[in-house]
Amino acid sequence: MSTVTIYHNPACGTSRNTLALLRARGTEPTVVEYLKVGWTEDGLRDLLRIMGVSPRDVLRVRGTNAVELGLTDPAKTDEDLIRAMVREPALVERPIVVGPKGAVLCRPVESVLTVL
């Protein structure tokens, strides 16, 4: 069983490059294609807690309908954002990697090294 998990979007270059870097370092992670499997509210809350960030910190705006949904409005609560991210998994920025030393949004790709 892998001790590293990548929440991956194979259509994303940064996500592919992060996965390639992990493999180049001899790590075969568990790959979760979150656009296919989605998120649960509790699972997303746990992941954010491990990362030490708020939902707003991982809200993907570019290439999504976040603005149209009003999610960039500062009045939106963390719970509003989490519910939207569960409904539309693409609203979560990628890739996120969970490793032995925590979890991180891998932008830039080299950020993954902090959790290995």
Side-chain angles (χ1 to χ4, degrees):
M1 179 183 251
S2 177
T3 60
V4 176
T5 299
I6 182 171
Y7 293 91
H8 178 60
N9 176 353
C12 170
T14 302
S15 196
R16 290 191 309 271
N17 291 337
T18 301
L19 181 56
L21 178 58
L22 287 167
R23 290 176 171 159
R25 294 186 55 90
T27 299
E28 186 54 45
T30 299
V31 177
V32 178
E33 290 189 31
Y34 70 93
L35 293 178
K36 289 182 181 178
V37 299
W39 304 101
T40 65
E41 287 186 23
D42 288 341
L44 191 53
R45 274 190 209 94
D46 286 345
L47 184 58
L48 295 168
R49 181 186 48 75
I50 293 167
M51 294 173 72
V53 301
S54 75
R56 194 165 305 281
D57 294 326
V58 298
L59 176 64
R60 182 169 178 83
V61 176
R62 194 178 112 212
T64 71
N65 61 348
V67 172
E68 292 82 2
L69 293 173
L71 300 176
T72 57
D73 179 345
K76 290 293 183 181
T77 67
D78 286 354
E79 290 306 309
D80 292 333
L81 296 176
I82 287 172
R83 281 191 297 274
M85 290 168 168
V86 168
R87 281 191 309 274
E88 297 188 36
L91 291 168
V92 178
E93 190 64 82
R94 77 277 178 154
I96 295 173
V97 175
V98 180
K101 296 180 181 176
V104 67
L105 173 61
C106 296
R107 291 185 171 269
V109 171
E110 296 78 18
S111 301
V112 72
L113 302 176
T114 66
V115 297
L116 299 180

